[in-house]
Amino acid sequence: LRTLDISGAALNQVKFGFSMMKELKCLQGFLVSPRGSENRNGWPFQELRSLYKLTSLKILRLERILTVEDAAQSALEERQHLKELELCSSTDDGTTEISRAAQIKDVFEALKPGPSIVSLKLENYYGHGFPSWLDPFHLRELSRLTLHGCLHCQYLPSLGQMKNLKFLAINGSNLSTRIGHEIRGTPDDGVAFPKLEQLVISKMSNLKSWKG
């Protein structure tokens, strides 16, 4: 088996593991369950250990992870073949999200991918501020970036310094009232977004200005 997409399966209970799927290259819908969880409604990150050939990975329900130690078990930074990554949380009531904002940011920090990533999507991330690894000096090969539903991030990283970025989509970030010079950064040759071909801005009802 090379490709498995269970992202739309709405699994309530899982009865299989990934330890024998050593040839798997594309896994869409890895449903997270914390270590020691009595409910088999997902998998702990240890299940990814044998999938060293993965080139594409979509992880769901990251709000379930309670500790940085659990997130670190993913060892994403060590996966040299991984090119496409989606990190997805699910939204619930706003009160719960706000109370867990610091926690989810620490979890996403621990999910740092390696520099080989070319396509990245963050979905329903509700931390205050993006993870520090969303940085042009770390993600040097990134060509496609989607930020969907990152409601509590008012300022964007220096995406203009990403020399290989061709596609950028920002949507559902309603708390942002302005996009300023910070998105441009300080590119070496003075040219921001040198390879950008497509820019998508949507569902940002509070956005009033873009400068820089």
Side-chain angles (χ1 to χ4, degrees), residues 43-94:
W43 299 272
F45 275 124
Q46 289 95 318
E47 286 285 332
L48 293 175
R49 287 178 177 174
S50 61
L51 307 181
Y52 55 89
K53 292 186 179 181
L54 278 180
T55 60
S56 180
L57 175 63
K58 181 177 182 178
I59 303 176
L60 303 177
R61 300 304 298 271
L62 281 167
E63 76 281 356
R64 290 178 173 177
I65 296 300
L66 300 178
T67 68
V68 171
E69 288 74 19
D70 281 337
Q73 292 293 319
S74 65
L76 294 182
E77 193 171 10
E78 300 174 10
R79 299 181 177 277
Q80 300 179 359
H81 301 292
L82 191 62
K83 301 294 184 182
E84 302 174 356
L85 178 64
E86 296 185 36
L87 301 176
C88 309
S89 299
S90 296
T91 57
D92 51 18
D93 64 271

